[in-house]
Amino acid sequence: MKYLVILCDGMADTPVPELGNKTPMEVAHKPVMDSLAAKGEVGMCRTVAEGLKPGSDVANLSVLGYDPKVCYTGRSPLEAASIGVELKDTDVALRCNLVTLSDEDNYADRTMVDYCADDISTEEAEILINAVEEALGNDVFRFYSGVSYRHCLTVANGTTDLGDMTPPHDISGRVVGEYLSTAPAAQPLLALMEKSYYILKDHEVNKKRIAAGRRPANSIWLWGEGRRPQLQNFEKKNGVKGGIISAVDLLKGIGICAEMATPEVEGATAYIDTNLEGKVDAARELFDTGCDLVYIHIEAPDECGHRGEIENKVRSIEMIDERVAAPMVEYLRGTGDDFRILVMPDHPTPIATKTHSSAPVPYMIYDSRKDIAGVPNFSEANAEATGIFISHGPSVMERLNRGVNMEFFAVNGKRPVRLSEQTRRFAFESLNHKYGKLTEQTPCVLMDDYAGFTALTPLEQYDAIIERIASTAPIRICENEKISGAATLGNAINHTVPATFKGDSIFRSISHLTIDFETVLKKGIYAIREDAKKALEKYMGTGKEPFVRSCINCINYMEIWHDRYLQELKPLAIYRTNYENLKKVPFLPAQNFYEAVQSLWFTFAFVRLCGNWPGIGRIDWLLGDYLERDLAAGAITLNEAREILAHFFIKGCEWVRGGDYGSGDAQHYQNIVLAGLDENGKEVTNTVTYLVLDILEELGISDFPTTIRINKNSPAELLQRVAEVIRLGGGVIAVYNEDLIIESLTDYGYRLEEARRFANDGCWEVQIPGKTYFIYQPFDALRILQHNTLKNYDGSVHFSNFDELYKAFIEDLKRKVQECGEDNLNNFIYTGVPTKDWKWKPSLPCTVVSVFEQGCIEKGLSYLEGGPVYNTVSPHIGGLPDTVNSLYAIKKLVFDDKKVTFEELMVVLRNDWKEYEHLRQYALTKYAYFGNDNDEVDSIAADIFSAFADACDVLNGHSGYMCPAGISTFGRQIEWAENRLAIPCGKNAHDILSANFSPAPGTEREGATAIIRSYCKTDLKRAVSGAALDVKLLPSAVNGENGLEVIKSLIKGFISLGGHFMQLDIADTAMLKDAQKKPQNYTTLSVRVSGWNARFVTLNKEWQDMIIAQSGSDI
Amino acid sequence: MKVANIQRFCMHDGPGIRTTVFLKGCPLNCVWCHNPETQKAQSEVLFYKNRCIMCGACSVCENNAHLFEESHILKHQLCKGCGKCVGECPVAALEICGTEKTVKELFDIIKKDCAFYGNVGGVTISGGEPLLQPEAVEELLDMCKKEGINTAIETCGYFSQDILNRIVPLTDLFLWDIKDTDPYRHEKYTSVTNEIILKNLFAADKLGAKMRLRCILVNGVNTDREHYKNILNIVKELKCCEGVEYIPYHSFGGSKSLALGEQNSGSNDWIPTAEQISVAKSYLLENGIKVF
């Protein structure tokens, strides 16, 4: 793909009476541009943001994709760069025009006759500037000659606080007096201007000019002050190599600062006589030598605008069409490559005003691969009429780079459109990694310069870090965002508090919990601080005092961060509502839906900013009442509410890339749980539930991973909507069987009301949100069977029947669970006697999450030290299906069918089936393994799990933790593969086997219903932490009217048979393989395996292969 | 009952999730048959040569049907369909089609997925031609109905009419194959005329049998407008027909023919184009007929 930008400086205009009230663009005969516009995207773009001056620098930076609000440091530093001046950070550069002034005695009385000294030639100018340098240059002031009338002055240790240094082209024909800056710091500069008049007016060069009838360059004019700009490398920013062709220093300077190619073009001037053919040649040359994007800047229309030359302006546009657009299109077609062309001005330079305006400009993007309906004539009015408006100029470059169609990936079918264009754009950019990239750029705060940091206690260090994060983390306000706040430090993705000391990160952060948003929304964070103050009184002078003080501190720091957002938002009119909302929340209770969404988001963002990964929990339960009230009162419409909520989802899915994870980007475990019963047994499903489904359906956002609580009486409409969303693929919704889970929790000892509140930890492990400490202890059961029970097949053990083998394995399994329990004791000061009042050992500071976790402030204990109401450590058995299959295969091959003796089988397995391919095939194809609804094998799974759950129960009371059982692998089947030996069911050593409690890839032959039945035969009520099942369906299975029925039927069957958690996904192996080959076509394709999700294209090959292997299951 | 295959989690043989029972034996002999292994009433062994690893485990055959020369050859004419070799083959290169099952055995398998049938899904008895075994089918349908399982029959329509009285009340939906509406072509390609099939169809309709017509589309054979028009006329004349499902011909049956030691009578030329399928569908849609 090649990208061409034809930037027609100042081309846009307003209707000109002399042209019959048409604009130059409308009048100009420009067949090439018009034919592209007829087949391309045409719209308007605001290149000059509110509050900025409409200079070519600002506008061109915008078009090149650099946000001037962030990068722009003034015009002259860019020009300085173009003439090879290397600015120091302490230097200030100014533009130094050669101008023609009238000859009144007093400088202030003179008139600006010509801001460009009659287009003085570069050669003449060089002589004059050298003369000025000689007379006025010194250690502080240095003059550099540039092109034509445009030159440069640098001021060592200068200031930019110079008041209004007026551009000379803005005051053509006016007396200069009232445009001279009155700022004290500007006075030495004005003196230079005045002195230059006496150096220049009688200079030989000017004498000759006057004799030749040309205006003299009789003064310098200083303006456009600025420091060295920081532009990110263009290629790194956009992923394409870029080059700029321009006669204007400014543009070359931008090119140099952005490390783009900036070839010289002979005879390129800024006027109508410029060497356009030279520019075209240079552009071809750039493409031919490997540039992907060439930016041809043509100044002529702007100059004509400044001069008020109507005909010349029309002519300049025609020339660009004929002599640039035509040959470039021909060239690009000739290359055989796909290409996109962007044609636009940087800003209007209307004939009527002869100066730049900051009005939006027309743009046109043509894509050689796809004709779309454009407009017949590329003009201001036609562009405006399309209704397409890019309000943030710098995104036009992304639009060119990425194409004009915002498509949210669906594995199957098409996603509906309900959200506004603006919100969809926001989502598209976010899902395409725009904000993730930004976040990656600022990894953390540095504590190196913090006086006495190492002498602080860990808790004091933690507080210092949080204060610094709150005070210095970048503030990010995304274009048109409806809610504000952003976790802008990249190291958070590495599960650390994003702060380093001498290059090392300092504290790990917290995940696997859902924090107490309910209190934040309903009471506000000030109320939490009041509780902390009360606790401080209570614990003053005790060992708990530092922790409680830290809680108060962290809330105060959050206020600092909050205040920074208020300051930033206050002057920006379009963020008025964000500002007004944030003035109240999250510190005060939310009064309406909009405030509630902002409160929830801001709190979440702060906790995440500080490195933690909390889940959201039951968002419909949290927000539903606010919305219902607002809707009833007519305070909000459904569409408005959907937009606001969409921004919550979009802001959370910025796909931050972490270290070198094979498992892709963006893993914040920020789970959302929808629907189900509330604490009183009433169904929660409300308008918010359906809005969330709308948003997931339209945008395909899978991070937040969402799980829906379904029970036997769930509303039919809810099931229907869930099926519709699931059918689109991407794994955005999983299913909980809440009938089973609530019973499971009450059986385990939770009160019914508490059980009904359940949400999860971030994957799918069930917990009571806002009051639970949770971690899990994963282990590989297959490893226990192979390594402990069968001694790595070394032949040293013998079992003469299946029962013996089974019992030996169960003993080994129980030992493993005991080990888990012993590990737990490490966290306690243990006297050797079990007790009810466990003493926690001090642990890592984690105040930011402790503040939002019920129990911590009250008990004066942190999240990691027993503060929460419930403290759980859950042993998780992994590789269970593979263990079951192994045992079953031994049972059949050795003891039932006597195909081989036990000793022989050990040899075969030790040698990884080498020379026993027939036996391996036999084992693989003859028996129906876990997932095929074979009672004989499924009962082994049920028995092992029940023995495991018994062993977990024994641990309760042996430490301060409850130890509920769970079944999982998440993605560990990949890392475990390395240590796994051959498996008796015909799999080789190191094969990637089952995920969670799902059948091993390739062993399931009976389809989804058999898989679910196999899984449900285990008593999953005892999997209090959870047991996940992954079921993949092919698109063909769920297409058409009957497809939704199929999905609903599977869910209903899963519920009635007693499943726990099911991730039902639509996958197409062929599509995934294509995505592996052509990642660029699948940038927003997300995949989810229970408890884990990512953008497919960011996975390494191993992970991608695993996903593909698991997608082939059902036909 | 002679069963060719039982497939769970079917979503293309009637509404919802279904278990489809393919019975063995068919009175028709369609040249394009998608399931040639179900045509003969007796058990047969299919041999998939590409999976064979030449291990010789199948030499257990008492009739010496397996020959090993340069390659492994199954002499189908010697094979009695006992299936002994199938049990020995380690790589599933040999498959048996046609096992004897009692009605109760079948019912137990069907029952397994009750949790997934809901109100719309259930069992579909297909074939072959299920109504070649009418007594057993009737018994099975009866058991399913009593269990509240939705029942469907896929039939070619060629059977003796007197069984309809007993079958219709037990069947929630008929998937009724109309291979062709032209009697001559019908005979040419299926070996029987369509007279009995249509007679049975209208007789079933009179008895109130809810049905969908299933019409195979074979490029160059029955992709003409006249045929679509005839289908339309049939549907219009039926009282209880809920619509039509077109089945585009595919050539996957060919590999099974070869595995049965028969010639592949199919042809890739018969695969209808997307446009043909769309024309056929829209003709009915435009005339107000539901197309599945």
Side-chain angles (χ1 to χ4, degrees), chain A residues 561-774:
Chain A
W561 188 65
H562 180 252
D563 200 48
R564 290 175 65 209
Y565 269 93
L566 286 178
Q567 294 310 316
E568 191 80 15
L569 290 165
K570 194 174 182 182
L572 305 174
I574 55 166
Y575 300 109
R576 190 89 228 147
T577 319
N578 304 36
Y579 174 74
E580 293 298 334
N581 286 339
L582 267 185
K583 277 206 302 198
K584 290 171 246 165
V585 295
F587 291 95
L588 295 170
Q591 302 294 337
N592 58 43
F593 175 72
Y594 201 163
E595 287 178 13
V597 176
Q598 175 68 78
S599 179
L600 181 62
W601 172 261
F602 200 81
T603 307
F604 174 63
F606 182 72
V607 176
R608 227 175 73 164
L609 174 72
C610 297
N612 308 291
W613 303 355
I616 300 292
R618 308 183 72 183
I619 196 170
D620 48 0
W621 175 77
L622 286 166
L623 298 175
D625 287 348
Y626 293 99
L627 181 58
E628 305 292 358
R629 267 205 309 270
D630 287 3
L631 286 171
I636 196 169
T637 68
L638 206 55
N639 283 339
E640 285 164 355
R642 192 189 293 111
E643 296 282 330
I644 293 165
L645 198 56
H647 281 236
F648 180 96
F649 278 81
I650 295 165
K651 283 177 70 80
C653 67
E654 70 269 54
W655 292 126
V656 183
R657 213 120 209 214
D660 206 11
Y661 298 145
S663 52
D665 53 11
Q667 290 289 306
H668 289 115
Y669 302 171
Q670 49 197 25
N671 266 28
I672 280 181
V673 176
L674 291 177
L677 302 180
D678 68 9
E679 53 282 23
N680 304 315
K682 205 173 127 251
E683 177 64 42
V684 164
T685 302
N686 57 36
T687 313
V688 174
T689 320
Y690 290 109
L691 288 183
V692 171
L693 292 172
D694 284 355
I695 293 163
L696 298 179
E697 184 184 34
E698 177 166 354
L699 303 178
I701 286 173
S702 72
D703 189 17
F704 310 83
T706 301
T707 307
I708 187 131
R709 286 172 48 163
I710 300 288
N711 57 54
K712 287 199 178 76
N713 302 314
S714 290
E717 189 193 351
L718 180 70
L719 262 177
Q720 176 74 14
R721 288 293 292 134
V722 167
E724 284 167 1
V725 179
I726 287 177
R727 175 152 83 170
L728 294 165
V732 296
I733 301 183
V735 176
Y736 274 133
N737 175 6
E738 76 167 1
D739 292 329
L740 177 120
I741 291 172
I742 291 172
E743 218 181 310
S744 155
L745 291 169
T746 49
D747 283 1
Y748 199 67
Y750 288 96
R751 284 184 304 115
L752 178 62
E753 294 73 26
E754 202 76 322
R756 283 170 175 161
R757 297 165 69 99
F758 83 88
N760 61 28
D761 68 313
C763 294
W764 43 254
E765 298 98 307
V766 167
Q767 63 172 238
I768 312 304
K771 42 175 84 163
T772 304
Y773 164 80
F774 175 85

Side-chain angles (χ1 to χ4, degrees), chain A residues 27-46:
Chain A
V27 170
H29 177 62
K30 47 180 189 354
V32 180
M33 288 188 206
D34 287 345
S35 74
L36 297 178
K39 292 176 280 187
E41 181 192 275
V42 179
M44 297 296 281
C45 175
R46 184 184 293 286

Side-chain angles (χ1 to χ4, degrees), chain A residues 899 918 921-922 925-926 933 1008-1009 1012-1013 1036-1037 1041-1042 1045-1046 1049-1050 1053 1056-1057, chain B residues 8-9 11-12 14-17 53 55 86-91 112-113 115-116 120 290:
Chain A
K899 281 277 160 193
H918 298 173
Q921 291 278 357
Y922 190 91
T925 55
K926 286 294 161 186
D933 198 5
T1009 54
I1012 294 172
R1013 275 180 52 91
S1036 60
E1041 210 178 303
N1042 201 42
E1045 206 55 58
V1046 167
S1049 301
L1050 285 177
S1056 72
L1057 291 173
Chain B
R8 292 165 65 181
F9 192 48
M11 57 293 283
H12 301 118
I17 292 174
I53 52 170
C55 66
V86 175
E88 294 302 318
C89 176
V91 291
K112 283 187 167 193
D113 276 348
F116 302 98
V120 294
K290 181 159 181 169

Side-chain angles (χ1 to χ4, degrees), chain A residues 185-211:
Chain A
Q187 299 317 307
L189 299 172
L190 299 185
L192 292 176
M193 285 158 60
E194 197 161 347
K195 284 181 199 162
S196 73
Y197 177 80
Y198 299 100
I199 298 161
L200 295 176
K201 93 176 149 86
D202 297 323
H203 194 283
E204 283 305 311
V205 170
N206 277 329
K207 282 184 187 161
K208 278 186 202 157
R209 285 181 67 83
I210 292 164

Side-chain angles (χ1 to χ4, degrees), chain A residues 71 87 109 185 194 284 320 338 348 354 621 779 808 860 939 965 1037 1067 1108:
Chain A
C71 314
L87 287 178
D109 293 338
E194 197 161 347
R284 290 190 194 122
I320 294 171
D338 296 329
K354 296 188 194 174
W621 175 77
F779 67 88
S939 68
I1108 290 170

